[in-house]
Amino acid sequence: MKKQLIITKDGSHSLFVPGLNETYHSKNGAITEAKHVFIKNGLLAANKNKVNILEVGFGTGLNALLTLQKTKQQNLNIFYNSLEPHPLEKQEYIKLNFAVLLNCPQEDFINLHKSGWGKEIKLSENFTLYKTEESVRNFETEKKFDIIYFDAFAPEKQTEMWTKTVFEKMYFLLKENGFLVTYCAKGVVKRTLKSVGLEVETLEGPPGKREMIRANKK
Ligand SMILES: C[S@@+](CC[C@H](N)C(=O)[O-])C[C@H]1O[C@@H](n2cnc3c(N)ncnc32)[C@H](O)[C@@H]1O
């Protein structure tokens, strides 16, 4: 899949996929969006020290890097399982400016990408990465998760990611009182999440987006 490097409004990079006419992040700021949706309303909202996270769509590794950074700053303990059937090439991720802008070691960012697939890798004292080179639809695990970072391409670009079948699986993979967060707040997505038994909260979105979703398993 061909991709082009772009600069979003907060100065952070993202990738544009011409074939889908879609970007990996909001054009209003990749780092700003990821921090708001996945860190502030995701990781920090769990209010726990030991957290199992499932990410749907590893992509550029931005959410993983932000989570690793928070783990170090706040002494959290994270198991981070990320799914990605189409990993970036080295020449694609090497150019991304996230580590510089976040003032964290470039080595951390590179290690997230270089880590092998299908094995647990301890990237810091309290952060274990487990990358699965697989579609969410085929993914199986015995683990359950406190948080799901649901970061697929938008429903109008990749409809098959936002179905009842996928969300039933997300429900099954969540622990009780666990939740899924996503940048998307479309009515049809809220209804599908509700139809599998999740309680949907609509939260303020990042700049440029009115709303986002947190869906809780009670
Ligand atoms: C919107 S991008 C965001 C990725 C990432 N979280 C980031 O910050 O760069 C969506 C990602 O989902 C991945 N993806 C596509 N189909 C998928 C599938 N069936 N299962 C899991 N991930 C998928 C894409 O390859 C892409 O990397």
Side-chain angles (χ1 to χ4, degrees):
M1 207 161 44
K2 221 176 137 231
K3 301 171 203 86
Q4 292 163 1
L5 192 71
I6 60 164
I7 299 188
T8 65
K9 273 198 190 151
D10 64 4
S12 56
H13 283 146
S14 187
L15 297 172
F16 173 68
V17 186
L20 281 179
N21 189 24
E22 173 74 326
T23 52
Y24 273 54
H25 307 95
S26 162
K27 289 184 186 144
N28 288 301
I31 288 183
T32 306
E33 174 189 50
K35 276 187 170 173
H36 179 86
V37 176
F38 300 106
I39 304 301
K40 177 173 168 233
N41 289 320
L43 180 62
L44 300 181
N47 216 3
K48 276 180 159 186
N49 272 21
K50 198 168 180 313
V51 192
N52 275 5
I53 298 173
L54 174 68
E55 177 177 42
V56 178
F58 179 79
T60 61
L62 174 57
N63 297 334
L65 182 66
L66 287 167
T67 305
L68 174 58
Q69 189 182 40
K70 265 291 169 246
T71 307
K72 290 183 176 177
Q73 287 167 348
Q74 302 204 355
N75 218 9
L76 305 172
N77 192 329
I78 307 284
F79 176 80
Y80 197 96
N81 191 159
S82 193
L83 312 183
E84 181 53 73
H86 312 292
L88 297 186
E89 304 284 341
K90 184 172 181 194
Q91 69 265 21
E92 292 171 324
Y93 67 71
I94 200 89
K95 296 183 191 134
L96 297 166
N97 65 3
F98 302 143
V100 180
L101 294 184
L102 292 170
N103 202 15
C104 64
Q106 176 72 356
E107 196 191 355
D108 280 358
F109 183 59
I110 299 301
N111 284 340
L112 286 165
H113 281 278
K114 275 197 350 205
S115 295
W117 298 87
K119 48 188 169 200
E120 289 190 11
I121 302 192
K122 227 169 156 21
L123 285 183
S124 82
E125 170 111 9
N126 292 323
F127 186 96
T128 300
L129 178 68
Y130 189 95
K131 288 194 298 181
T132 309
E133 198 175 0
E134 213 169 21
S135 164
V136 67
R137 281 167 292 149
N138 304 325
F139 174 63
E140 282 179 13
T141 179
E142 299 199 334
K143 291 207 186 302
K144 297 274 180 179
F145 298 91
D146 300 286
I147 310 176
I148 296 177
Y149 293 172
F150 199 84
D151 201 9
F153 288 125
E156 55 282 16
K157 309 290 172 172
Q158 217 188 356
T159 323
E160 72 275 14
M161 296 292 286
W162 304 82
T163 60
K164 191 166 178 189
T165 313
V166 171
F167 289 149
E168 272 167 352
K169 189 170 208 172
M170 298 299 101
Y171 182 91
F172 174 76
L173 290 172
L174 280 171
K175 293 185 192 172
E176 234 166 83
N177 297 318
F179 59 80
L180 171 154
V181 266
T182 183
Y183 64 87
C184 179
K186 291 195 112 183
V188 60
V189 172
K190 289 184 193 170
R191 287 192 292 279
T192 315
L193 287 164
K194 280 182 193 158
S195 76
V196 304
L198 290 163
E199 275 183 23
V200 173
E201 276 179 273
T202 304
L203 307 174
E204 192 186 338
K209 282 194 182 138
R210 210 158 46 88
E211 297 176 337
M212 60 162 279
I213 292 174
R214 185 162 58 215
N216 304 279
K217 178 169 174 174
K218 293 291 180 198

